[in-house]
Amino acid sequence: MTLPARAGLDAVPAYRQGRSAPAGASKLSSNESPHPPLPSVLHAVQERLGGINRYPDMSAAALRAELAARYEVDPALVTVGAGSVELAAQLIHAVAGEGDEVMFAWRSFEAYPSLVRIAGATPVAVPLNAAHAHDLDAMLAAITSRTRLILVCNPNNPTGTVVGAEELERFVAAVPQDILVVIDEAYVHFDRTGTYGAGIELFRRHPHVAVLHTFSKAYGLAGLRIGYAIAPAEIAENQRKVAVPFGVTDLAQTAARASLDAEDELAVRIEEVVAQRDRLHSLLVDAGWPAVASQANFVWVPAGDRTEELEELLSAGGVIARAFPGEGVRISSGSIEDIDRVADALVRKEATV
Ligand SMILES: *Cc1c(COP(=O)(O)O)cnc(C)c1O
């Protein structure tokens, strides 16, 4: 006897989490913040712990009102989810199903292909260009009558490359308005090219744009699961229909609001992560690895058939990175100590050659 399984699930790969690190090692495999939570955020969360017998405010009204005021948009256009990966799922479920296509660049965020397949839609992966960046012309050329949604991960995970604001606007303007363009800005705070915030501006100027932001990366709340989307009204309304009820806890909403109040403190931390990212890139280049300049909180090394070698070199030095076999290694930017450790690991290699 076999238990039932939904048709098509064979094609859905299970999400692979970044490797956990043994005690004492540097976990640079999941693009998390290397910093512990801010005391003010911890305090705010602790104050709410006594209320966990109650369901959260499903509409997250207070947080959405704050975000709406910040971006000067109607609160009805703001939705929150258990991480922006849930919001990406909501957006896909809101617009695409059987027979529809959802496009993204590849390689990009590992969750995209699965989310599309789970919705019953067909993933269309358009290869990145030689500079490891979105090939927007190729993406335009890949649009068909079945395309419903296009994801643009900016900066791109795992390559750290950015589509400039003007280039992105030309792309959005060229995409037919019956296709939703979702700009995933999970790493926008680490971008020093000036493209920062391009998604929201495009949302204002074009009727078929949605933007995804998360509290997991720059705000350091990966463990609490909260992010938000800003989307056109009819899309946001349909997102609410496909959302799993009560997915975002009161603790997560509280931590998110406290983090918005602590942005000056967080900015200092973000600058440190950016500085260590650039240092990480230089260390890799100096050691002869083909590292790509990054605008996110990680560095991509398209090591090809030397991927395993680099992963093992790092791991021997107590650094856990994210390897994509045969393609490359993504190393998250960490604390100064974490990147010191990468420096030592890379040098050890030179000593043994
Ligand atoms: C990390 C990440 C997210 C968000 O993750 P959540 O923790 O679910 O908010 C979204 N998109 C990309 C590209 C990411 O790398």
Side-chain angles (χ1 to χ4, degrees):
M1 247 198 327
T2 39
L3 291 166
R6 206 181 93 194
L9 276 193
D10 284 352
V12 181
Y15 188 84
R16 222 165 43 93
Q17 181 166 24
R19 276 171 65 196
S20 57
S26 289
K27 184 177 186 292
L28 303 182
S29 55
S30 296
N31 301 340
E32 295 148 332
S33 167
H35 300 100
L38 287 175
S40 60
V41 175
L42 264 188
H43 180 75
V45 170
Q46 274 158 355
E47 293 235 294
R48 304 289 293 186
L49 278 173
I52 59 172
N53 54 314
R54 303 287 177 196
Y55 281 106
D57 170 10
M58 202 169 99
S59 75
L63 174 60
R64 284 175 44 239
E66 278 183 46
L67 292 167
R70 149 178 310 221
Y71 295 113
E72 296 176 329
V73 298
D74 181 341
L77 311 187
V78 183
T79 46
V80 299
S84 58
V85 73
E86 195 217 329
L87 292 156
Q90 284 179 15
L91 288 163
I92 293 167
H93 281 266
V95 307
E98 209 71 50
D100 298 329
E101 292 176 355
V102 175
M103 191 192 299
F104 44 80
W106 198 252
R107 186 170 271 282
S108 189
F109 187 29
E110 238 194 318
Y112 294 158
S114 326
L115 296 179
V116 175
R117 287 211 189 270
I118 293 163
T122 305
V124 175
V126 178
L128 297 169
N129 65 22
H132 310 282
H134 280 74
D135 186 341
L136 296 181
D137 290 335
M139 291 175 79
L140 283 178
I143 290 174
T144 73
S145 59
R146 294 166 176 242
T147 310
R148 296 290 175 270
L149 187 152
I150 302 175
L151 286 148
V152 179
C153 186
N154 204 36
N156 189 46
N157 175 10
T159 58
T161 52
V162 162
V163 176
E166 286 171 22
E167 205 190 336
L168 192 53
E169 176 129 40
R170 276 197 298 277
F171 174 75
V172 166
V175 173
Q177 295 189 351
D178 58 356
I179 298 173
L180 183 68
V181 180
V182 176
I183 304 172
D184 183 345
E185 295 191 326
Y187 301 100
V188 75
H189 289 82
F190 307 103
D191 181 358
R192 294 294 172 272
T193 63
T195 301
Y196 188 102
I200 304 284
E201 287 313 310
L202 291 176
F203 166 81
R204 292 188 211 290
R205 287 202 289 270
H206 300 269
H208 59 322
V209 170
V211 185
L212 292 178
H213 282 181
T214 178
F215 286 96
S216 294
K217 310 288 160 57
Y219 292 89
L221 298 180
L224 271 178
R225 316 299 309 125
I226 184 160
Y228 60 95
I230 300 182
E234 59 271 40
I235 299 286
E237 196 180 315
N238 286 338
Q239 276 178 261
R240 291 187 182 98
K241 292 183 191 167
V242 299
V244 175
F246 301 111
V248 182
T249 66
D250 178 66
L251 301 182
Q253 295 176 34
T254 301
R257 292 177 65 200
S259 300
L260 292 175
D261 288 341
E263 284 194 320
D264 291 349
E265 266 178 288
L266 286 166
V268 176
R269 294 176 159 202
I270 291 167
E271 279 317 309
E272 185 185 313
V273 169
V274 166
Q276 294 310 309
R277 168 198 77 200
D278 291 342
R279 180 178 164 228
L280 172 61
H281 177 256
S282 301
L283 286 168
L284 287 158
V285 169
D286 291 350
W289 293 99
V292 177
S294 171
Q295 296 300 328
N297 66 345
F298 51 80
V299 174
W300 173 242
V301 188
D305 50 18
R306 294 182 69 199
T307 293
E308 207 179 329
E309 179 192 342
L310 178 57
E311 185 190 19
E312 281 172 9
L313 187 68
L314 292 167
S315 136
V319 174
I320 305 305
R322 179 72 168 263
F324 298 90
E327 285 183 68
V329 180
R330 188 194 69 196
I331 310 167
S332 306
S333 175
S335 63
I336 295 171
E337 295 72 28
D338 290 328
I339 307 306
D340 285 350
R341 197 172 266 174
V342 174
D344 289 346
L346 294 173
V347 168
R348 195 175 309 181
K349 150 81 178 148
E350 281 169 3
T352 58
V353 168

